[in-house]
DNA sequence: TTATTTGCAAATACTTTGCATGTGC
DNA sequence: GCACATGCAAAGTATTTGCAAATAA
């Protein structure tokens, strides 16, 4: 079992991600964090984001383009994503396909495609016990 | 206005994508297509997949990892995605958050996260008329 | 003390692009 | 014929990794 330490780098990365209104990329976050931790490197940002995802503290939002974006908000919400500029707008509240379209319209969006996914563990990966292996001991961040 | 020509390369790429059961990546598709069009290059595969997306003939499925996958099935369905092995399982039928969880369970999946997105045009991009610019004239594929 | 984390740089992975040549219409 | 598409190779991005030095507990 792996022990996770608290570091200033990870702390600031998480704070900046939670403050950011727009699902930043690793590179964007790197810029924000560098203000407070000037000697941080991009590799460290990637490593910490990966860890925070593993711990369930944050989430990846697959980008429309080819960069991953990160979401520090774990409350119930869904996304309106612009096909052209990549902008992602959060809509808080219950997740429902039935009302999502209407909400989008009300906010002035033209919605072209609905995407619903459940992310989980397929039967095979449950059997091979991948989930158990990833056990990590840590004190939670604020 | 751009004229799109029929080429054997694009035809075979589309056929193979529609035959594939598993939302292949560009590289996987490249391997499949090469059987029939040995001299095809990976760049051509990427260019054609991009065009087919623009035309609305196929869709991108953002990968959990950092490769884009492609979906040649435009009928109503949603995805069960395995967090570990990346496998994507199609579930055909109405898209509904309410019943998705139950369906996942019934299929033996442990679902950890629901993701709902509407992909469209934000108010700004509608105003700047990006949508109109992408007009393309073409005869449809089979 | 010691296992984890960092900074740096190099490596890898994926995708896009420039250009001469080929091809559909 | 000519605009569009291809093959190839090189370039561009995004992300991961090896390793010695730094650091949290």
């Amino acid at each position: 079992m792996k022990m996770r330490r608290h570091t200033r780098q990870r702390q600031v990365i998480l704070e900046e991600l939670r403050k950011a209104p727009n699902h930043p990329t690793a590179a964007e976050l790197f810029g924000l964090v560098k203000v407070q931790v000037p000697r941080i490197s991009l590799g460290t940002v990637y490593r910490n984001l990966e860890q925070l995802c593993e711990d369930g503290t944050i989430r990846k939002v697959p980008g429309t383009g080819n960069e991953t974006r990160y979401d520090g908000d774990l409350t119930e919400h869904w996304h309106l994503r612009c096909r052209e500029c990549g902008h992602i707008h959060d809509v808080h509240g219950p997740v429902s396909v039935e009302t999502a379209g209407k909400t989008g319209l009300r906010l002035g969006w033209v919605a072209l495609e609905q995407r619903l996914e459940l992310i989980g563990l397929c039967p095979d990966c449950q059997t091979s016990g991948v989930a158990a292996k990833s056990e990590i001991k840590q004190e939670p961040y604020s």
Side-chain angles (χ1 to χ4, degrees), chain A:
Chain A
M1 191 191 299
K2 221 181 228 182
M3 187 54 176
R4 195 138 293 174
R5 289 177 186 164
H6 283 245
T7 66
R8 176 156 165 68
Q9 285 84 343
R10 183 154 53 244
Q11 179 76 51
V12 175
I13 288 168
L14 182 56
E15 282 169 12
E16 289 298 330
L17 176 55
R18 285 180 172 161
K19 263 197 280 177
N22 56 343
H23 307 295
T25 62
E28 286 164 359
L29 233 17
F30 175 57
L32 292 169
V33 172
K34 221 169 14 180
V35 175
Q36 294 181 62
V37 191
R39 293 186 53 77
I40 198 172
S41 75
L42 186 53
T44 298
V45 173
Y46 273 109
R47 270 181 296 224
N48 277 291
L49 288 170
E50 199 54 46
Q51 291 184 344
L52 290 164
C53 285
E54 282 172 16
D55 302 348
T57 308
I58 67 172
R59 281 184 189 170
K60 290 187 185 182
V61 185
T64 319
N66 27 30
E67 353 160 83
T68 303
R69 296 184 164 272
Y70 297 86
D71 193 342
D73 180 358
L74 296 187
T75 64
E76 195 180 21
H77 70 283
W78 53 277
H79 293 149
L80 273 166
R81 180 201 297 276
C82 183
R83 187 177 60 113
E84 290 305 327
C85 66
H87 179 77
I88 297 175
H89 180 84
D90 283 337
V91 184
H92 287 270
V95 170
S96 156
V97 179
E98 283 66 30
T99 60
K102 279 178 225 157
T103 307
L105 274 180
R106 184 152 35 81
L107 294 171
W109 287 60
V110 178
L112 306 166
E113 182 187 344
Q114 285 186 334
R115 181 179 295 153
L116 173 65
E117 288 189 350
L118 259 68
I119 293 89
L121 288 174
C122 70
D124 285 354
C125 287
Q126 288 169 54
T127 316
S128 48
V130 191
K133 267 190 246 164
S134 61
E135 205 179 335
I136 286 167
K137 190 172 156 190
Q138 62 151 1
E139 292 142 76
Y141 278 86
S142 55

